[in-house]
C-alpha cells in the first residue's frame, strides 16, 4: 500500500518591518511555483507568513496593530496565492493574523485543498510570551497581548487523501497538541513557526540547544502519534532580530527526512506515504489497547503544576 | 543556586534464564558499590532487574510463572541490596515483578532513600505486548498476560532533596506519563527498560531507529516537563534474545548528558542540578500561564483513536 502525499515545506526568509505584503505574497507565489514544479500536492507556508513577526513590537494602543491583521481570506493582497494554486493544481496551508468581523484577534492557519476551497481553519491555542511590556527581556514577545487563545480546539480534516491537522509554533512544544489530533487519527500535521534563535530571558541558551528543542518536540509528536509532521520556519534576521531556520519534514518514526539548509526562502519536498502511519498506529501506539485514561485525569483538569508540599 | 543530586544509572547486562537471583543481586550490589565509590546519592537499576525478561516465555498456566515474582521487598534474596545501601549511605530505585499478598501481579519499581526506607512505589501503567500466544511474532511479549496495569497512577515524592517520580519501560513512550508527573512538579524521573533491539512484528525496523525511539521519548518528556530523566536498560543477549542498551541521563533541555557505552553491566554517573529545572518551569513551561485545559478533554476521556468518517 502507498498513499503518497508529496509535501513541500516553504520556509520564509526574513520579512522586514517595512516590506509590503504584496512583495511578500510574490515571494510565497514563487515558492508555490517551485513546489508545483516538483509535483507537490501541497505547499506549507509558515506562521504569520505575510508580515514580519510583529508581536515583538510593543504598542500601548492595541488597535494600532490591526494593520498587521487580515480581515478577509482571501483578501485583495492574498488573492494571487489562491489564483496561482488553482492554476497549478496545488493545495496549500498558510498562517496569518486574523481579525474577525466581530473584532477578535487570532493567530490563524488555514488549509486549502487543490480546488482552492478553504477546508480547514486552526487558531493557535498555546500563545507564548506575555501581555505587558517586560523590560527585563532582550526583546518583547507580545503574542498574549495581540491575540486571543484559539477557540477551535485541535480539529482534523479528512482531505487530500488523508487525515490532516494543523498547529502553530509554540503549540508544537505541548504534547497535548499532537495527542488530541492523534486521538482523531491524524496522519499529517502542518505547522509554521517564528522562533527567536536565542532566548530573550537566558542569553546563555545556545542556538544549538534551541534548535534541538524545536526538532525534538516535532519528532516526539510525530512518533508518539504515528503521523507525519511538517514544520516550516520563518528564518533569518528581521530588522536585527534573528529567527531560527531548521524547517523539516518528520516521518512517523520521528526521523527528520528533509531539512532546510538555509535561513532564507527555501522549499524542501518529500513524498510522504500516509500508509507509513499504519504500522505504529496498529501496534506500539494502538491507543485502544494501551492507553489508560483512568490515570490521565490531571492533564485535562489541572492547569498549573502543583508540587507536593515542602 | 544548586541542588545537586548525583545520579548513577546502573545498566544491567543480560541475565540468562537459569541465572539465580542471588548471583544477579551480587551483580547489582557490585554496581551499587561502584556508584557509591563515585559518591552518588542514588543508584537506579532497571526494570525487572532481578531476572531475565520472563514475559517473553509463554505459559498456559499463569500461576506457573509466579516463581519470577517477589512476594516480599526486601525479601531474603534482595536483603543484601538494602544492607549494602545502608552501609554505603546510598539510595536506590529498582524494578521487580511484584506478587501481592492478595494475588495481584504488577511490574513494579520502588524508591528507597538513604535511610533504606521504601519511600515510593510505582506500578507500570502502560503494559505493552499481548495476552495470548501470537504465532506471527518472532518472539512473544506477554506483559499483558502476566501483569495487571498499575493501580497507583503516576505519583511523585518529595525526597532526597527534590520531587521524584518513576515510570517503567513502555511508559516512557506515552507523553501522558511525564505530563501527569510534570503537573505535580516532578524534577527527576527514574525508569528502567527491557526493550528488544529489533521489532518482533517488523524485521525491517532498524536497531538505530529503535534506539532513536527510545531516546527521543525520554528527551521530549524531560524537556516538555523541565525535569531530569534517568533511563536504565537491561541490555545484551538473554538466551538468544537481544535487548537494546543506551542507558542515559537526560537534562531538562532534553539533552543526553551521560550515555552507556556497552551492552553489559555498566554504571554511568552525572551530577544533576535540580535547580536546572527552574528556568523552563517558570518560562516556556509555566503551565499555569500557558496550558489550555479546555482543549485537552479528549486525552482523559477517549481511549481509542477515532478518525473522522471516510
Amino acid at each position: 500500500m502507498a498513499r503518497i502525499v508529496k509535501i513541500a515545506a516553504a520556509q520564509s526568509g526574513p520579512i522586514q518591518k517595512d516590506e509590503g505584503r504584496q512583495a511578500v505574497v510574490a515571494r510565497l507565489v514563487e515558492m508555490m511555483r517551485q513546489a508545483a514544479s516538483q509535483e507537490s500536492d501541497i505547499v506549507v507556508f509558515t506562521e504569520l507568513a505575510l508580515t514580519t513577526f510583529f508581536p515583538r513590537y510593543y504598542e500601548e494602543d492595541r488597535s494600532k496593530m490591526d494593520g498587521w491583521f487580515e480581515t478577509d481570506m482571501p483578501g485583495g493582497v492574498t488573492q494571487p496565492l489562491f489564483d496561482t494554486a488553482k492554476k497549478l493544481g496545488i493545495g496549500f496551508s498558510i498562517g496569518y493574523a486574523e481579525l474577525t468581523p466581530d473584532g477578535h484577534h487570532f493567530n490563524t492557519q488555514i488549509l486549502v485543498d487543490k480546488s482552492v476551497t478553504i477546508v480547514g481553519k486552526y487558531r493557535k491555542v498555546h500563545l507564548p510570551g506575555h501581555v505587558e511590556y517586560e523590560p527585563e527581556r532582550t526583546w518583547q514577545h507580545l503574542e498574549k497581548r495581540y491575540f486571543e487563545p484559539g477557540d477551535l480546539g485541535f480539529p482534523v480534516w479528512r482531505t487530500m487523501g488523508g487525515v490532516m491537522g494543523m498547529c502553530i509554533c509554540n503549540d508544537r512544544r505541548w504534547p497535548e497538541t499532537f495527542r488530541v489530533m492523534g486521538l482523531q487519527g491524524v496522519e499529517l500535521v502542518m505547522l509554521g513557526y517564528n522562533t527567536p534563535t536565542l532566548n530573550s530571558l537566558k542569553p546563555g541558551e545556545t542556538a544549538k540547544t534551541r534548535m534541538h528543542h524545536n526538532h525534538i518536540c516535532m519528532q516526539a509528536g510525530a512518533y508518539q502519534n504515528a503521523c507525519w509532521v511538517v514544520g516550516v520556519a520563518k528564518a533569518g534576521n528581521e530588522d536585527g532580530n534573528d529567527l531560527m531556520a531548521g524547517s523539516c519534514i518528520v516521518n512517523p518514526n520521528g526521523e527528520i527526512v528533509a531539512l532546510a539548509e538555509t535561513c532564507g526562502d527555501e522549499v524542501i519536498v518529500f513524498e510522504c506515504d500516509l500508509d507509513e502511519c499504519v504500522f505504529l498506529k496498529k501496534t506500539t501506539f494502538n491507543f485502544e489497547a494501551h492507553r489508560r485514561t483512568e490515570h490521565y485525569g490531571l492533564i485535562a483538569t489541572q492547569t498549573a503544576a502543583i508540587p507536593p508540599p515542602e
Side-chain angles (χ1 to χ4, degrees), chain A residues 211-234:
Chain A
M211 184 60 79
H212 164 77
H213 295 162
N214 172 40
H215 283 153
I216 204 168
C217 291
M218 293 190 279
Q219 292 177 277
Y223 171 60
Q224 292 172 332
N225 296 282
C227 64
W228 293 85
V229 173
V230 181
V232 183
K234 165 96 80 58

Side-chain angles (χ1 to χ4, degrees), chain A residues 111 119-123 152-160 162-167 176-190 225 227-228 281:
Chain A
L111 176 59
V119 292
K121 177 183 274 193
Y122 170 74
R123 290 167 171 161
L152 302 173
F154 298 100
V156 303
W157 299 271
R158 188 178 287 282
T159 180
M160 305 183 76
V163 182
M164 307 293 178
M166 296 184 277
C167 67
E176 292 88 347
T177 299
F178 292 101
R179 182 59 99 223
V180 173
M181 289 189 273
L183 281 162
Q184 300 169 83
V186 77
E187 296 175 313
L188 170 62
V189 175
M190 290 165 264
N225 296 282
C227 64
W228 293 85
K281 284 186 194 290

Side-chain angles (χ1 to χ4, degrees), chain A residues 88-209:
Chain A
L88 298 174
I90 189 170
F92 68 95
S93 182
I94 189 166
Y96 63 97
E98 177 190 15
L99 175 53
T100 70
D102 54 345
H104 293 286
H105 299 74
F106 296 105
N107 188 339
T108 296
Q109 183 177 340
I110 51 168
L111 176 59
V112 181
D113 72 9
K114 289 184 179 184
S115 73
V116 197
T117 303
I118 297 176
V119 292
K121 177 183 274 193
Y122 170 74
R123 290 167 171 161
K124 186 174 183 176
V125 164
H126 297 98
L127 298 171
H130 46 105
V131 176
E132 300 301 334
Y133 189 87
E134 294 190 354
E136 71 273 24
R137 291 179 183 261
T138 318
W139 58 86
Q140 302 297 298
H141 196 116
L142 293 153
E143 286 192 59
K144 284 196 197 294
R145 182 173 188 82
Y146 300 128
F147 300 113
E148 298 165 57
D151 58 351
L152 302 173
F154 298 100
V156 303
W157 299 271
R158 188 178 287 282
T159 180
M160 305 183 76
V163 182
M164 307 293 178
M166 296 184 277
C167 67
I168 300 177
C169 193
N170 182 48
D171 285 320
R172 74 195 184 287
R173 301 188 196 272
W174 300 84
E176 292 88 347
T177 299
F178 292 101
R179 182 59 99 223
V180 173
M181 289 189 273
L183 281 162
Q184 300 169 83
V186 77
E187 296 175 313
L188 170 62
V189 175
M190 290 165 264
L191 70 95
Y193 57 88
N194 284 250
T195 302
T197 307
L198 298 176
N199 191 319
S200 68
L201 290 170
K202 193 176 186 183
E205 191 171 273
T206 67
K208 186 183 166 194
T209 289

